[in-house]
Amino acid sequence: MWDLNRLRVWRAVAATGSVVAAAKSLNYTPATVSQHITTLQKAVGAPLYRHSGRGIEITDLGRRLADDSAEVFTAVGRLDDLVESFRNVSRPRLRIAAFTSFNARLLPGIIETVARDHPHLRFDIQLNEPAKNRRGHCLIEIRAEVPQDGEIHLPEMTRIPLFDDAYRVVVPADHRFTGRETVPFIELEAEHWVDYDMWAGPSSKVVDHACAAAGFERRSFAACEDDFAALALVASSLGVTVLPRLSTVQLPPGLVAVDLTDPVPKRRVVMHVREKDAHLPHVRAFVAATESAVRTHLTTP
């Protein structure tokens, strides 16, 4: 009864709450998505959704099916790894999951270093923020944590703290904050905010804590899935955004980043390494290259 592709489509629909949004994330047409979920519902023999106005409403069964099937795709990922390991015995594979700004700013230099001594190594790079993007079973996970919420330990993985990433406010070059060394966080209360983490992940929760400490709730003008979209809106003078320093290393022309005070929001960047593979030469090389890249990042103005 279970067609994995239809189940994958259904998980996208349940996660987004919309056929159109699911189609966009999967690069399908809405009609194709509708056909898949209709066929899946017939196969299940019980309602997974109901039409509600111009959209759909997920039933309890539909929600449970989406949530509980996560283990199925994790298991399939392990099977893929198993087959791949036998298919490419002479070509080891390193699967990495990280968030956008790490992939864009630090990962290229890390991979360049590792590939120099392991030229036959294949790198598979995935996004793990928002959490719904997680796919498969990775050897390396780079995650952001909320320091106030305590440490996160993943099963069968070793946790290695890398650095604390302070947040800055990003504004157009003609904004009133431009030219200042620091901005007290309370001064952001009157601004139109562009959030870069619409899924309330750890990066967004850090900002929530800072707003609470400053005694206000931010007025969000827009919310995006990544910092690139948020920066584009700020460049159009539609608002300001608060980003970790790692996301402000290479800003587009016309944008300025200013440090924050009272409080200074910070996320903790942590690397998780799968314990059973930590001894492998290419995994050890990746860990060493990452720690070296972080030291360089921390000493760069």
Side-chain angles (χ1 to χ4, degrees), residues 234-279:
V234 175
S236 298
S237 299
L238 295 174
V240 305
T241 192
V242 175
L243 297 176
R245 179 178 179 270
L246 189 59
S247 298
T248 66
V249 172
Q250 296 176 327
L251 289 174
L255 295 181
V256 176
V258 185
D259 291 342
L260 293 165
T261 60
D262 304 321
V264 180
K266 292 182 180 180
R267 68 178 177 180
R268 182 153 296 144
V269 179
V270 178
M271 175 166 55
H272 300 265
V273 182
R274 197 159 71 186
E275 293 172 353
K276 71 175 185 178
D277 298 301
H279 67 285

Short mmCIF file of all heavy atoms in Angstrom, two decimals, residues 234-279:
data_model
loop_
_atom_site.label_atom_id
_atom_site.label_comp_id
_atom_site.label_asym_id
_atom_site.label_seq_id
_atom_site.Cartn_x
_atom_site.Cartn_y
_atom_site.Cartn_z
N VAL A 234 15.65 43.92 2.98
CA VAL A 234 16.30 45.05 3.66
C VAL A 234 16.95 45.98 2.65
O VAL A 234 16.89 47.20 2.78
CB VAL A 234 17.33 44.53 4.70
CG1 VAL A 234 18.09 45.70 5.32
CG2 VAL A 234 16.63 43.72 5.78
N ALA A 235 17.56 45.40 1.62
CA ALA A 235 18.20 46.22 0.58
C ALA A 235 17.19 47.09 -0.14
O ALA A 235 17.54 48.15 -0.69
CB ALA A 235 18.93 45.33 -0.41
N SER A 236 15.93 46.68 -0.14
CA SER A 236 14.87 47.49 -0.75
C SER A 236 14.24 48.46 0.23
O SER A 236 13.19 49.06 -0.04
CB SER A 236 13.78 46.56 -1.31
OG SER A 236 14.29 45.72 -2.32
N SER A 237 14.88 48.64 1.40
CA SER A 237 14.44 49.59 2.44
C SER A 237 13.05 49.26 2.96
O SER A 237 12.29 50.16 3.32
CB SER A 237 14.50 51.03 1.92
OG SER A 237 15.82 51.39 1.57
N LEU A 238 12.72 47.96 3.01
CA LEU A 238 11.41 47.54 3.51
C LEU A 238 11.43 47.23 5.00
O LEU A 238 10.39 46.98 5.60
CB LEU A 238 10.92 46.32 2.73
CG LEU A 238 10.63 46.58 1.25
CD1 LEU A 238 10.30 45.27 0.54
CD2 LEU A 238 9.49 47.57 1.09
N GLY A 239 12.61 47.20 5.61
CA GLY A 239 12.71 46.91 7.02
C GLY A 239 14.15 46.64 7.40
O GLY A 239 15.08 46.87 6.60
N VAL A 240 14.35 46.16 8.63
CA VAL A 240 15.68 45.77 9.10
C VAL A 240 15.62 44.30 9.49
O VAL A 240 14.55 43.75 9.71
CB VAL A 240 16.13 46.63 10.31
CG1 VAL A 240 16.07 48.11 9.97
CG2 VAL A 240 15.30 46.32 11.55
N THR A 241 16.78 43.68 9.57
CA THR A 241 16.82 42.29 10.02
C THR A 241 17.95 42.12 11.01
O THR A 241 18.93 42.88 11.00
CB THR A 241 16.98 41.32 8.84
OG1 THR A 241 16.75 39.98 9.28
CG2 THR A 241 18.37 41.40 8.22
N VAL A 242 17.81 41.15 11.89
CA VAL A 242 18.84 40.83 12.88
C VAL A 242 19.39 39.45 12.55
O VAL A 242 18.65 38.46 12.56
CB VAL A 242 18.25 40.87 14.31
CG1 VAL A 242 19.29 40.40 15.32
CG2 VAL A 242 17.79 42.28 14.65
N LEU A 243 20.69 39.40 12.23
CA LEU A 243 21.31 38.17 11.75
C LEU A 243 22.54 37.83 12.58
O LEU A 243 23.22 38.72 13.10
CB LEU A 243 21.74 38.31 10.29
CG LEU A 243 20.67 38.55 9.23
CD1 LEU A 243 21.33 38.74 7.88
CD2 LEU A 243 19.72 37.37 9.18
N PRO A 244 22.89 36.54 12.67
CA PRO A 244 24.16 36.16 13.28
C PRO A 244 25.32 36.75 12.47
O PRO A 244 25.20 36.97 11.26
CB PRO A 244 24.15 34.64 13.22
CG PRO A 244 22.72 34.26 13.03
CD PRO A 244 22.10 35.37 12.25
N ARG A 245 26.44 36.97 13.13
CA ARG A 245 27.60 37.56 12.47
C ARG A 245 28.02 36.76 11.24
O ARG A 245 28.42 37.32 10.23
CB ARG A 245 28.77 37.65 13.46
CG ARG A 245 30.05 38.24 12.86
CD ARG A 245 31.15 38.35 13.90
NE ARG A 245 32.37 38.90 13.33
CZ ARG A 245 33.33 38.17 12.78
NH1 ARG A 245 33.19 36.84 12.71
NH2 ARG A 245 34.41 38.74 12.29
N LEU A 246 27.90 35.42 11.32
CA LEU A 246 28.30 34.58 10.20
C LEU A 246 27.52 34.93 8.93
O LEU A 246 28.04 34.79 7.82
CB LEU A 246 28.09 33.10 10.56
CG LEU A 246 28.63 32.06 9.60
CD1 LEU A 246 30.13 32.22 9.42
CD2 LEU A 246 28.31 30.66 10.09
N SER A 247 26.28 35.40 9.09
CA SER A 247 25.47 35.75 7.93
C SER A 247 25.76 37.15 7.42
O SER A 247 25.22 37.55 6.38
CB SER A 247 23.98 35.65 8.29
OG SER A 247 23.63 34.33 8.63
N THR A 248 26.59 37.92 8.16
CA THR A 248 26.87 39.31 7.75
C THR A 248 28.29 39.49 7.26
O THR A 248 28.73 40.61 7.05
CB THR A 248 26.62 40.27 8.94
OG1 THR A 248 27.57 40.00 9.99
CG2 THR A 248 25.22 40.09 9.49
N VAL A 249 29.02 38.38 7.09
CA VAL A 249 30.42 38.48 6.67
C VAL A 249 30.54 39.08 5.27
O VAL A 249 31.41 39.90 5.00
CB VAL A 249 31.09 37.09 6.72
CG1 VAL A 249 32.49 37.15 6.09
CG2 VAL A 249 31.17 36.59 8.15
N GLN A 250 29.64 38.69 4.38
CA GLN A 250 29.68 39.20 3.00
C GLN A 250 28.30 39.75 2.65
O GLN A 250 27.47 39.05 2.06
CB GLN A 250 30.09 38.10 2.03
CG GLN A 250 31.51 37.59 2.24
CD GLN A 250 31.85 36.42 1.33
OE1 GLN A 250 31.00 35.61 0.99
NE2 GLN A 250 33.10 36.34 0.92
N LEU A 251 28.06 41.00 3.00
CA LEU A 251 26.76 41.61 2.73
C LEU A 251 26.69 42.15 1.30
O LEU A 251 27.70 42.59 0.75
CB LEU A 251 26.52 42.76 3.71
CG LEU A 251 26.25 42.37 5.17
CD1 LEU A 251 26.17 43.63 6.03
CD2 LEU A 251 24.97 41.56 5.29
N PRO A 252 25.51 42.15 0.70
CA PRO A 252 25.34 42.75 -0.62
C PRO A 252 25.63 44.26 -0.55
O PRO A 252 25.53 44.88 0.53
CB PRO A 252 23.86 42.50 -0.95
CG PRO A 252 23.47 41.35 -0.06
CD PRO A 252 24.28 41.50 1.18
N PRO A 253 25.98 44.88 -1.68
CA PRO A 253 26.22 46.33 -1.68
C PRO A 253 25.00 47.10 -1.17
O PRO A 253 23.86 46.72 -1.42
CB PRO A 253 26.49 46.63 -3.16
CG PRO A 253 26.94 45.33 -3.75
CD PRO A 253 26.19 44.28 -3.00
N GLY A 254 25.26 48.16 -0.43
CA GLY A 254 24.19 49.01 0.06
C GLY A 254 23.65 48.62 1.42
O GLY A 254 22.72 49.27 1.92
N LEU A 255 24.22 47.58 2.04
CA LEU A 255 23.78 47.15 3.37
C LEU A 255 24.92 47.30 4.37
O LEU A 255 26.10 47.15 4.03
CB LEU A 255 23.30 45.70 3.33
CG LEU A 255 22.05 45.41 2.51
CD1 LEU A 255 21.70 43.93 2.60
CD2 LEU A 255 20.88 46.26 3.00
N VAL A 256 24.55 47.56 5.62
CA VAL A 256 25.51 47.76 6.70
C VAL A 256 25.08 46.95 7.91
O VAL A 256 23.88 46.90 8.22
CB VAL A 256 25.61 49.26 7.08
CG1 VAL A 256 26.53 49.46 8.27
CG2 VAL A 256 26.08 50.09 5.89
N ALA A 257 26.03 46.32 8.59
CA ALA A 257 25.74 45.58 9.82
C ALA A 257 26.31 46.35 11.00
O ALA A 257 27.46 46.81 10.96
CB ALA A 257 26.34 44.18 9.75
N VAL A 258 25.51 46.47 12.06
CA VAL A 258 25.92 47.20 13.26
C VAL A 258 25.77 46.28 14.47
O VAL A 258 24.76 45.57 14.59
CB VAL A 258 25.08 48.48 13.45
CG1 VAL A 258 25.61 49.29 14.63
CG2 VAL A 258 25.07 49.33 12.18
N ASP A 259 26.77 46.30 15.36
CA ASP A 259 26.72 45.46 16.56
C ASP A 259 25.58 45.89 17.48
O ASP A 259 25.19 47.06 17.50
CB ASP A 259 28.04 45.54 17.31
CG ASP A 259 29.19 44.89 16.57
OD1 ASP A 259 28.91 44.09 15.66
OD2 ASP A 259 30.35 45.18 16.89
N LEU A 260 25.08 44.94 18.26
CA LEU A 260 23.99 45.19 19.21
C LEU A 260 24.50 45.11 20.65
O LEU A 260 25.47 44.41 20.94
CB LEU A 260 22.88 44.16 19.01
CG LEU A 260 22.11 44.26 17.69
CD1 LEU A 260 21.30 43.00 17.45
CD2 LEU A 260 21.19 45.49 17.69
N THR A 261 23.81 45.83 21.54
CA THR A 261 24.12 45.77 22.96
C THR A 261 22.83 45.70 23.76
O THR A 261 21.75 46.02 23.25
CB THR A 261 24.91 47.01 23.42
OG1 THR A 261 24.12 48.20 23.19
CG2 THR A 261 26.22 47.14 22.69
N ASP A 262 22.95 45.28 25.01
CA ASP A 262 21.84 45.34 25.99
C ASP A 262 20.53 44.71 25.52
O ASP A 262 19.53 45.43 25.43
CB ASP A 262 21.60 46.79 26.41
CG ASP A 262 22.85 47.45 26.96
OD1 ASP A 262 23.60 46.76 27.69
OD2 ASP A 262 23.06 48.62 26.67
N PRO A 263 20.44 43.43 25.22
CA PRO A 263 21.51 42.42 25.29
C PRO A 263 22.16 42.21 23.92
O PRO A 263 21.71 42.77 22.91
CB PRO A 263 20.75 41.18 25.72
CG PRO A 263 19.43 41.33 25.02
CD PRO A 263 19.11 42.81 25.06
N VAL A 264 23.19 41.36 23.92
CA VAL A 264 23.79 40.90 22.67
C VAL A 264 23.27 39.47 22.42
O VAL A 264 23.68 38.54 23.11
CB VAL A 264 25.33 40.88 22.75
CG1 VAL A 264 25.92 40.39 21.43
CG2 VAL A 264 25.87 42.25 23.11
N PRO A 265 22.37 39.28 21.46
CA PRO A 265 21.88 37.92 21.18
C PRO A 265 23.02 37.05 20.65
O PRO A 265 23.85 37.52 19.87
CB PRO A 265 20.81 38.13 20.11
CG PRO A 265 20.54 39.61 20.10
CD PRO A 265 21.77 40.29 20.57
N LYS A 266 23.06 35.80 21.09
CA LYS A 266 24.09 34.88 20.61
C LYS A 266 23.50 33.48 20.43
O LYS A 266 22.73 33.03 21.28
CB LYS A 266 25.26 34.79 21.60
CG LYS A 266 26.10 36.05 21.71
CD LYS A 266 27.27 35.85 22.68
CE LYS A 266 28.10 37.11 22.79
NZ LYS A 266 29.24 36.92 23.73
N ARG A 267 23.86 32.85 19.33
CA ARG A 267 23.54 31.43 19.15
C ARG A 267 24.83 30.64 19.32
O ARG A 267 25.93 31.17 19.12
CB ARG A 267 22.93 31.16 17.78
CG ARG A 267 23.90 31.36 16.62
CD ARG A 267 23.26 31.04 15.28
NE ARG A 267 24.19 31.31 14.17
CZ ARG A 267 23.90 31.12 12.89
NH1 ARG A 267 22.69 30.66 12.54
NH2 ARG A 267 24.78 31.39 11.94
N ARG A 268 24.71 29.41 19.69
CA ARG A 268 25.89 28.53 19.82
C ARG A 268 25.93 27.60 18.63
O ARG A 268 24.94 26.93 18.32
CB ARG A 268 25.82 27.75 21.13
CG ARG A 268 27.05 26.86 21.37
CD ARG A 268 27.24 26.64 22.86
NE ARG A 268 27.54 27.91 23.50
CZ ARG A 268 27.10 28.23 24.73
NH1 ARG A 268 26.35 27.38 25.41
NH2 ARG A 268 27.41 29.40 25.25
N VAL A 269 27.06 27.56 17.95
CA VAL A 269 27.23 26.68 16.79
C VAL A 269 27.98 25.43 17.25
O VAL A 269 29.05 25.53 17.86
CB VAL A 269 27.99 27.39 15.66
CG1 VAL A 269 28.17 26.44 14.47
CG2 VAL A 269 27.23 28.65 15.22
N VAL A 270 27.38 24.27 16.98
CA VAL A 270 27.89 23.00 17.51
C VAL A 270 28.01 21.98 16.37
O VAL A 270 27.16 21.93 15.48
CB VAL A 270 26.95 22.46 18.60
CG1 VAL A 270 27.43 21.11 19.12
CG2 VAL A 270 26.84 23.45 19.75
N MET A 271 29.08 21.19 16.41
CA MET A 271 29.26 20.10 15.44
C MET A 271 28.98 18.77 16.14
O MET A 271 29.44 18.53 17.25
CB MET A 271 30.67 20.12 14.88
CG MET A 271 31.01 18.96 13.95
SD MET A 271 32.54 19.23 13.00
CE MET A 271 33.72 19.57 14.31
N HIS A 272 28.19 17.91 15.47
CA HIS A 272 27.91 16.56 15.97
C HIS A 272 28.54 15.56 14.98
O HIS A 272 28.32 15.66 13.77
CB HIS A 272 26.41 16.32 16.07
CG HIS A 272 25.71 17.28 16.99
ND1 HIS A 272 25.45 16.98 18.31
CD2 HIS A 272 25.23 18.53 16.78
CE1 HIS A 272 24.84 18.00 18.88
NE2 HIS A 272 24.68 18.95 17.98
N VAL A 273 29.29 14.62 15.51
CA VAL A 273 30.01 13.64 14.68
C VAL A 273 29.52 12.24 15.05
O VAL A 273 29.48 11.89 16.24
CB VAL A 273 31.53 13.73 14.90
CG1 VAL A 273 32.26 12.74 14.00
CG2 VAL A 273 32.02 15.15 14.65
N ARG A 274 29.15 11.46 14.04
CA ARG A 274 28.66 10.10 14.30
C ARG A 274 29.78 9.26 14.91
O ARG A 274 30.86 9.12 14.33
CB ARG A 274 28.15 9.46 13.01
CG ARG A 274 27.28 8.25 13.25
CD ARG A 274 26.39 7.95 12.06
NE ARG A 274 27.15 7.45 10.92
CZ ARG A 274 26.62 7.24 9.72
NH1 ARG A 274 25.34 7.50 9.50
NH2 ARG A 274 27.35 6.77 8.73
N GLU A 275 29.50 8.72 16.10
CA GLU A 275 30.55 8.07 16.89
C GLU A 275 31.20 6.90 16.18
O GLU A 275 32.42 6.73 16.21
CB GLU A 275 29.95 7.61 18.23
CG GLU A 275 29.55 8.77 19.13
CD GLU A 275 28.78 8.30 20.36
OE1 GLU A 275 28.45 7.09 20.42
OE2 GLU A 275 28.50 9.14 21.23
N LYS A 276 30.40 6.07 15.52
CA LYS A 276 30.96 4.85 14.92
C LYS A 276 31.86 5.14 13.73
O LYS A 276 32.62 4.27 13.30
CB LYS A 276 29.83 3.90 14.51
CG LYS A 276 29.01 4.34 13.33
CD LYS A 276 28.00 3.26 12.95
CE LYS A 276 27.24 3.64 11.68
NZ LYS A 276 26.30 2.58 11.26
N ASP A 277 31.80 6.36 13.19
CA ASP A 277 32.64 6.71 12.03
C ASP A 277 33.70 7.75 12.38
O ASP A 277 34.45 8.19 11.49
CB ASP A 277 31.76 7.26 10.91
CG ASP A 277 30.75 6.24 10.41
OD1 ASP A 277 31.19 5.18 9.95
OD2 ASP A 277 29.54 6.51 10.49
N ALA A 278 33.78 8.18 13.64
CA ALA A 278 34.68 9.26 14.02
C ALA A 278 36.15 8.90 13.79
O ALA A 278 36.99 9.80 13.64
CB ALA A 278 34.46 9.64 15.48
N HIS A 279 36.48 7.61 13.74
CA HIS A 279 37.87 7.19 13.58
C HIS A 279 38.33 7.24 12.12
O HIS A 279 39.54 7.16 11.86
CB HIS A 279 38.05 5.76 14.10
CG HIS A 279 37.32 4.74 13.27
ND1 HIS A 279 35.94 4.58 13.31
CD2 HIS A 279 37.78 3.85 12.32
CE1 HIS A 279 35.59 3.63 12.47
NE2 HIS A 279 36.66 3.17 11.86
#
